[in-house]
Amino acid sequence: MNKILRKLMTLAAPSVAALMLFAAVASAHVTIAPAESSTGAWETYTLKVPSEKDIATVQVDLRIPEGAEFKQYEATPGWNVTIEGNKVSWTATGEGIQAGQFQRFYFTAKNPDAAGDIAWNAYQHYADGSLVQWSGEEGSETPHSVTSIVQSSGNWDSHSHGSADMDDSMSMDEHKAIVEDLDKSSGTSPLLYIALGISLLSFLLAAISLLRGRKE
């Protein structure tokens, strides 16, 4: 019996290791929240950047999607912001984002007037000069973040968010709402569940084969 258990553990180890690696990669993406907004709205977006290497992230470049318009950004201590056309860059003035940490950057953009998906391409620069391009399609190793722009059902004026009589500063409640949206949009990928199912199925088939071989 002990021999069977040892063999089962040996069979299970590769599947568990592969699953843990897949989960770590899937959770380390650069993301934009919220994942859904309405046409023409002035949306406050959150750019979340994890540092997945053993060295610091020192710069992040974000390309504003076609049809969207960058409007404002919230100052982040330890980071300078430059805007060149549709490229917004956050550059560290200090140590940057250390290994095992992440940083959130807040900015406001006006959504396209037409419904559809917009893709946010991001470029993550590390202290050693290496670059990770988060510009791939969904399901790739380095996917870009996507926001679904849905048709607005209200009759409000989309320009009213930028009028002088409104407070453009961000309250703590707004921050909390953004964080909640981010957690929802950067949740577990369906691919993780698929990988889990495949791993469990492979382990089950291997165990059945092993037990049949012992009986024979």
Side-chain angles (χ1 to χ4, degrees), residues 153-206:
S153 58
N155 296 321
W156 53 273
D157 180 4
S158 62
H159 295 282
S160 63
H161 286 262
S163 61
D165 61 345
M166 294 193 67
D167 182 6
D168 289 330
S169 62
M170 186 179 297
S171 67
M172 287 303 296
D173 289 339
E174 289 175 321
H175 273 287
K176 291 178 181 179
I178 289 171
V179 171
E180 290 175 359
D181 285 336
L182 178 63
D183 291 338
K184 291 177 182 178
S185 65
S186 58
T188 304
S189 168
L191 293 176
L192 182 57
Y193 295 109
I194 295 174
L196 176 60
I198 294 174
S199 298
L200 291 177
L201 180 60
S202 299
F203 173 67
L204 181 60
L205 292 175

Side-chain angles (χ1 to χ4, degrees), residues 83-157:
I83 304 168
E84 299 178 8
N86 71 333
K87 183 177 77 171
V88 184
S89 298
W90 286 264
T91 305
T93 58
E95 296 181 348
I97 309 170
Q98 299 298 306
Q101 299 178 353
F102 65 86
Q103 177 69 55
R104 290 188 174 106
F105 303 100
Y106 302 97
F107 66 93
T108 300
K110 180 181 179 297
N111 291 336
D113 294 326
D117 292 343
I118 56 175
W120 305 88
N121 291 331
Y123 304 86
Q124 185 174 12
H125 301 260
Y126 285 90
D128 64 351
S130 59
L131 170 67
V132 178
Q133 301 184 45
W134 299 96
S135 57
E137 297 298 324
E138 184 178 1
S140 65
E141 292 184 358
T142 54
H144 49 211
S145 197
V146 175
T147 298
S148 295
I149 305 299
V150 299
Q151 188 64 44
S152 174
S153 58
N155 296 321
W156 53 273
D157 180 4

Side-chain angles (χ1 to χ4, degrees), residues 12-81:
S15 297
V16 173
L19 185 60
M20 291 179 66
L21 177 61
F22 184 89
V25 173
S27 62
H29 294 168
V30 169
T31 57
I32 293 283
E36 182 178 300
S37 188
S38 57
T39 55
W42 283 48
E43 182 68 73
T44 298
Y45 286 101
T46 303
L47 168 64
K48 181 181 178 182
V49 183
S51 202
E52 58 181 1
K53 295 187 177 183
D54 293 331
I55 51 180
T57 294
V58 294
Q59 182 176 328
V60 180
D61 301 327
L62 180 68
R63 296 285 182 175
I64 304 301
E66 184 177 356
E69 300 176 31
F70 181 84
K71 295 296 184 180
Q72 301 169 325
Y73 67 90
E74 181 180 52
T76 304
W79 295 82
N80 284 335
V81 179

